[in-house]
Amino acid sequence: MYDIVIIGAGPAGLSAAIYARRAAKTVLLLEANSYGGQIVNTPDIENYPVEEHISGFEFAMKLYTQATNLGAQLKFERALSIESAGDKKVVKTAKGAYEAQAVIIATGAENRKLGVEREDDMVGKGVSYCATCDGAFYRNKAVAVVGGGNTAIDDAVYLADIAADVYLIHRREEFRADSATVQKLKEKENVHFVLNSTVSSLVIENKVVGVEVSDKEGNTQTLAVDCLFIAVGRIPENQAFADVLSLDAEGYAEAGEDCITAAEGIFVAGDNRAKEVRQLVTATADGAVAATNAVKYMNSLS
Ligand code: NAP
């Protein structure tokens, strides 16, 4: 039996592990994929206090090292359910069942699909959700990025230094991304803004060779690109725990800034929690708050 099982080893989960270990609680982290979460796909983080520039990969490595050096245990297993048994919680995976006094769900969010025909078939053949993973394949080629949030704009900035041309396709005139990052993109000479437009289809000849784009007036144009990088937001990964969590209309877990859910002993931290600001710094802060409240909860049991 562990004191705390933390589901998800992204910035929120790893930060929770640091706080829980420093409170001398035993911690098991369960991670379905690789540790670090979505931030590993961010090429250059410029808005985390103290670090003027750090890659998402390096950030994740440091956080992982810090948590495991403090004694947090990590297993690469997908949590499938949480059950209550008296004061205990049981987290089940395909390999086993792990008992704990408290559970912190820090599962984050997965990439939202754009919804164009043959999108799934073309992953790895000119459709990508990760500029830092796949950008290097398109050196001196033309690529497109779709989206208007921080991820899309960061990706386009990154790709502009690799590709010959970058088309930034966004369905509106205004961006969700912060203005400093948008300004940085505007300064890139090889970036072409295709605004008020959506991707209507992929042009495919065994692999992607272009995208067809339609504007609000119904005009279409074909952009000759070798890859479409899709960055149209994320979907919270709470479905497996829908029976113990209360989810809002978009699937985010309802819990206040204290990260306490309606289910006793279950806490939620990071991008899968319903909240206003989803940033790296708020994910790590959630981890600290959730772990602190989980420790308080455990101490109240004894
Ligand atoms: P996001 O902020 O939700 O932006 C998603 C973008 O995709 C929006 O511009 C949206 O358009 C567009 N979109 C959604 N569905 C679409 C569709 N079907 N077709 C075309 N466009 C579509 O998502 P994100 O950029 O992944 O960022 C997620 C969170 O992480 C945000 O809070 C962001 O600030 C944060 N983040 C922070 C950093 C950083 O701090 N360095 C880096 C990356 C991400 P509309 O604007 O018209 O809705």
Side-chain angles (χ1 to χ4, degrees):
M1 168 135 165
Y2 293 89
D3 292 327
I4 308 182
V5 168
I6 300 171
I7 305 173
L14 289 168
S15 300
I18 290 168
Y19 273 72
R21 284 300 302 143
R22 286 176 53 81
K25 301 298 180 192
T26 55
V27 171
L28 172 66
L29 281 152
L30 292 172
E31 171 54 58
N33 298 304
S34 47
Y35 64 78
Q38 292 280 332
I39 199 64
V40 296
N41 298 329
T42 299
D44 186 19
I45 302 162
E46 292 185 345
N47 56 2
Y48 196 80
V50 175
E51 293 282 4
E52 281 188 54
H53 289 278
I54 184 167
S55 75
F57 181 75
E58 189 185 354
F59 183 91
M61 284 286 292
K62 283 183 159 180
L63 199 49
Y64 164 79
T65 305
Q66 192 175 357
T68 51
N69 280 353
L70 281 165
Q73 203 187 331
L74 174 65
K75 287 183 193 276
F76 289 102
E77 293 176 38
R78 180 180 289 278
L80 301 173
S81 65
I82 304 170
E83 284 163 24
S84 289
D87 278 349
K88 276 189 314 195
K89 309 280 166 239
V90 183
V91 181
K92 290 195 172 157
T93 73
K95 287 189 182 163
Y98 301 99
E99 289 181 357
Q101 284 192 298
V103 176
I104 298 173
I105 304 172
T107 38
E110 62 182 341
N111 295 318
R112 178 180 287 132
K113 301 273 173 74
L114 184 59
V116 281
E117 210 174 312
R118 301 199 59 197
E119 178 175 347
D120 288 346
D121 299 347
M122 289 297 117
V123 172
K125 295 178 189 165
V127 165
S128 172
Y129 300 87
C130 178
T132 43
C133 316
D134 300 330
F137 297 126
Y138 300 98
R139 189 164 295 283
N140 300 325
K141 303 212 166 159
V143 299
V145 177
V146 58
N150 266 114
T151 305
I153 306 303
D154 277 353
D155 286 357
V157 168
Y158 175 75
L159 290 164
D161 292 336
I162 297 172
D165 287 286
V166 178
Y167 296 93
L168 190 278
I169 305 162
H170 179 38
R171 64 186 179 184
R172 294 191 292 140
E173 190 96 28
E174 302 77 30
F175 296 98
R176 251 172 228 276
D178 66 86
S179 51
T181 313
V182 173
Q183 186 52 36
K184 200 187 268 184
L185 188 63
K186 287 184 174 162
E187 285 162 13
K188 302 280 183 188
E189 286 179 357
N190 58 341
V191 172
H192 317 284
F193 288 86
V194 185
L195 301 181
N196 297 312
S197 300
T198 54
V199 176
S200 36
S201 62
L202 301 171
V203 184
I204 298 168
E205 289 172 10
N206 296 321
K207 60 186 177 63
V208 172
V209 294
V211 290
E212 194 179 85
V213 176
S214 311
D215 70 15
K216 284 184 173 160
E217 279 75 47
N219 304 310
T220 60
Q221 60 171 318
T222 301
L223 306 173
V225 295
D226 292 291
C227 189
L228 176 65
F229 288 89
I230 298 173
V232 294
R234 308 210 175 119
I235 297 171
E237 295 208 60
N238 288 324
Q239 275 315 316
F241 317 111
D243 56 338
V244 290
L245 291 174
S246 164
L247 304 181
D248 70 10
E250 291 178 351
Y252 290 99
E254 284 175 322
E257 292 299 316
D258 56 12
C259 298
I260 297 173
T261 74
E264 216 173 82
I266 299 180
F267 303 80
V268 67
D271 277 6
N272 54 318
R273 182 171 75 81
K275 58 177 168 173
E276 288 289 317
V277 183
R278 284 194 186 84
Q279 293 284 302
L280 184 54
V281 69
T282 60
T284 56
D286 268 16
V289 173
T292 303
N293 283 328
V295 169
K296 267 192 203 164
Y297 164 76
M298 276 181 282
N299 291 345
S300 75
L301 295 176
S302 48

